């Protein structure tokens, strides 16, 4: 087969990104325009502003991506786009752009689930070895899966309430740190010590997660201490929170590696940019004799390269979308797999 270049578009949240990816693994060109500074003024992503900014920027991002590429648009094999999950108005901007390019240049359209994109970011530097255990930790999701091969997967467990990224962001906010909270907590935690006793998130042996109790406990603790006029040791609390959350993630991965006997593990999603989590997960895998891979920090948070990687197996199986493609803002990985099977 000739080299396959896929033009991928990602606009599910607050990054307008496009990439041209060769053969599902090599990044030929990548542009990421983040709106983070704008949303930071509001303490979180404002959906209406996000979609307006995607509309303003998407054509420039396309122009830039094509300019940096070694190929021209006529050499592109397919146009891939994130259709789910994410902010509805933001997803629609990317979808309309993808449909237009597909129609004008007569290229097949590929619909990619964003969570699958995070998983496939792991193909950029090391090819995924199957079967593998996958943990996705992002702003929208916390899911543990078994990937049996490129097309067959099973969800072992998910968060029953807040995602881990959401909790990082909320804890950061109550501690007065800027959005997005993850990097801010990580930085503070490095300067602190684990001195705050916190409740364990979900002391069970399932593969599900629950982080809202931990979040509420910290929010209440901060409010109570402030009401009493007591000082909060911000770095210590950030450190204790991060340790408690990461302990729970590694405990469940340890359990899954032991119970399934799987010897490969990948981590993905925005929170996987966290160095403490990466190190602790690596140790957990080593203790179980399992290989461990996580994308380069550049490809952990939202980007279109990962969408181009996830589109490649769909391209090979000729799974193309038609022009009725619409955004599915709340399609989680479980519904994605169910829909795929039906
Ligand atoms: O995957 P992502 O870019 O967007 C979604 O698909 O949700 O993830 C964003 C999340 C945010 O909650 C952000 O605070 C978190 O990833 N994050 C981090 C770090 N970098 C980003 N969390 C912890 N440590 C980090 N270094
Ligand atoms: Zn994401």
């Amino acid at each position: 087969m000739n080299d396959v270049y896929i033009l991928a578009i990602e606009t599910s949240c607050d990054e307008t990104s496009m990439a041209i990816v060769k053969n599902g693994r090599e990044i030929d060109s990548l542009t990421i325009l983040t709106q983070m500074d704008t949303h930071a003024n509001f303490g979180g992503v404002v959906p209406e502003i996000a979609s307006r900014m995607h509309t303003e920027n998407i054509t420039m991002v396309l122009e830039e991506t094509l300019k940096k590429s070694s190929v021209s648009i006529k050499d592109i094999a397919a146009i891939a786009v994130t259709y789910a999950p994410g902010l509805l108005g933001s997803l629609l901007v990317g979808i309309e752009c993808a449909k237009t390019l597909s129609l004008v240049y007569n290229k097949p359209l590929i619909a990619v689930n964003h969570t699958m994109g995070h998983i496939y970011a792991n193909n950029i530097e090391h090819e995924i070895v199957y079967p593998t255990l996958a943990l996705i930790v992002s702003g929208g999701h916390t899911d543990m899966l078994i990937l049996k091969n490129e097309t067959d997967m099973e969800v072992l467990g998910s968060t029953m309430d807040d995602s881990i990224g959401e909790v990082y962001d909320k804890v950061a906010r109550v501690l007065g740190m800027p959005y997005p909270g993850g990097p801010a907590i990580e930085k503070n935690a490095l300067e602190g010590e684990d001195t705050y006793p916190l409740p364990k998130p979900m002391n069970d042996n399932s593969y599900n997660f629950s982080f809202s109790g931990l979040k509420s406990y910290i929010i209440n603790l901060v409010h109570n201490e402030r009401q009493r006029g007591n000082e909060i040791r911000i770095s210590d609390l950030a450190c204790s929170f991060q340790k408690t959350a990461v302990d729970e993630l590694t405990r469940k991965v340890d359990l899954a590696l032991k119970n399934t006997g799987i010897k490969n593990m990948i981590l993905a999603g925005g929170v996987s940019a966290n160095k403490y989590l990466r190190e602790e997960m690596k140790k957990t895998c080593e203790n179980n004799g399992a290989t461990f891979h996580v994308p380069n920090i550049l490809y952990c948070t939202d980007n279109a390269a990962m969408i181009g990687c996830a589109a490649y197996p769909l391209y090979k199986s000729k799974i193309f979308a038609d022009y009725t493609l619409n955004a599915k803002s709340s399609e989680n990985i479980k519904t994605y797999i169910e829909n795929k099977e039906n």
Side-chain angles (χ1 to χ4, degrees):
M1 193 159 76
N2 290 339
D3 287 333
V4 174
Y5 290 88
I6 295 179
L7 171 64
I9 305 173
E10 157 63 42
T11 61
S12 67
C13 193
D14 58 344
E15 267 86 29
T16 316
S17 180
M18 287 204 203
I20 294 175
V21 178
K22 181 179 163 186
N23 301 332
R25 295 195 55 206
E26 272 174 60
I27 302 174
D28 178 67
S29 171
L30 170 63
T31 312
I32 307 172
L33 190 70
T34 181
Q35 308 170 359
M36 210 181 274
D37 290 348
T38 304
H39 298 291
N41 295 320
F42 304 94
V45 179
V46 183
E48 176 68 23
I49 295 177
S51 43
R52 280 169 188 251
M53 289 184 79
H54 286 307
T55 308
E56 278 167 25
N57 294 328
I58 198 157
T59 320
M60 283 180 285
V61 170
L62 172 65
E63 206 176 12
E64 176 77 14
T65 308
L66 289 171
K67 202 164 79 190
K68 289 188 296 203
S69 174
S70 66
V71 295
S72 78
I73 198 147
K74 67 175 190 337
D75 304 313
I76 298 292
I79 311 290
V81 64
T82 306
Y83 73 96
L87 303 171
L88 190 69
S90 293
L91 287 165
L92 286 171
V93 178
I95 291 173
E96 284 314 304
C97 175
K99 284 185 190 174
T100 308
L101 290 172
S102 158
L103 185 69
V104 170
Y105 294 101
N106 194 24
K107 310 284 180 190
L109 181 66
I110 302 178
V112 178
N113 174 287
H114 180 84
T115 311
M116 291 304 293
H118 278 302
I119 292 174
Y120 274 89
N122 273 288
N123 246 348
I124 297 171
E125 281 167 320
H126 307 270
E127 204 159 0
I128 298 173
V129 179
Y130 300 95
T132 187
L133 187 73
L135 179 71
I136 299 114
V137 282
S138 74
H141 302 274
T142 309
D143 300 293
M144 187 147 62
L145 282 84
I146 295 179
L147 309 183
K148 296 174 189 167
N149 54 50
E150 254 188 8
T151 52
D152 194 8
M153 61 203 81
E154 179 193 335
V155 178
L156 285 183
S158 297
T159 180
M160 296 164 71
D161 38 60
D162 293 6
S163 74
I164 179 72
E166 227 175 316
V167 176
Y168 260 93
D169 293 340
K170 299 261 167 65
V171 169
R173 189 199 274 219
V174 76
L175 294 177
M177 297 172 195
Y179 171 84
I185 294 266
E186 175 169 26
K187 192 164 163 275
N188 271 273
L190 281 176
E191 290 150 18
E193 280 177 43
D194 173 23
T195 54
Y196 279 92
L198 299 175
K200 289 210 184 306
M202 194 171 168
N203 221 353
D204 74 342
N205 285 336
S206 77
Y207 300 121
N208 291 322
F209 300 94
S210 168
F211 293 107
S212 72
L214 176 64
K215 174 193 73 179
S216 305
Y217 183 92
I218 294 175
I219 293 173
N220 290 338
L221 177 92
V222 171
H223 288 162
N224 289 341
E225 291 294 86
R226 282 190 184 140
Q227 265 168 8
R228 292 192 191 110
N230 294 338
E231 186 209 343
I232 300 284
R233 299 182 312 279
I234 290 179
S235 297
D236 288 352
L237 189 49
C239 181
S240 296
F241 157 68
Q242 178 160 275
K243 183 169 185 316
T244 307
V246 169
D247 274 357
E248 178 66 356
L249 294 170
T250 52
R251 188 176 75 80
K252 296 259 156 130
V253 164
D254 182 66
L255 197 66
L257 287 173
K258 289 201 163 66
N259 289 348
T260 62
I262 290 177
K263 292 292 174 206
N264 302 296
M265 198 254 152
I266 57 174
L267 190 63
V271 182
S272 68
N274 186 284
K275 291 201 186 77
Y276 179 67
L277 171 62
R278 294 161 83 97
E279 280 160 18
E280 293 302 304
M281 203 55 88
K282 187 165 180 256
K283 283 186 214 158
T284 303
C285 291
E286 278 169 2
N287 291 341
N288 283 284
T291 67
F292 171 71
H293 291 297
V294 57
N296 183 306
I297 288 179
L298 278 175
Y299 311 123
C300 286
T301 45
D302 292 350
N303 68 85
M306 66 186 200
I307 302 303
C309 297
Y312 186 59
L314 300 172
Y315 177 84
K316 284 191 291 182
S317 306
K318 295 194 168 42
I319 300 175
F320 300 133
D322 64 29
Y323 294 145
T324 62
L325 179 67
N326 207 338
K328 288 191 182 167
S329 62
S330 54
E331 180 187 76
N332 61 27
I333 195 76
K334 231 179 203 155
T335 24
Y336 167 74
I337 294 171
E338 279 162 15
N339 291 344
K340 198 163 69 71
E341 282 165 359
N342 292 332

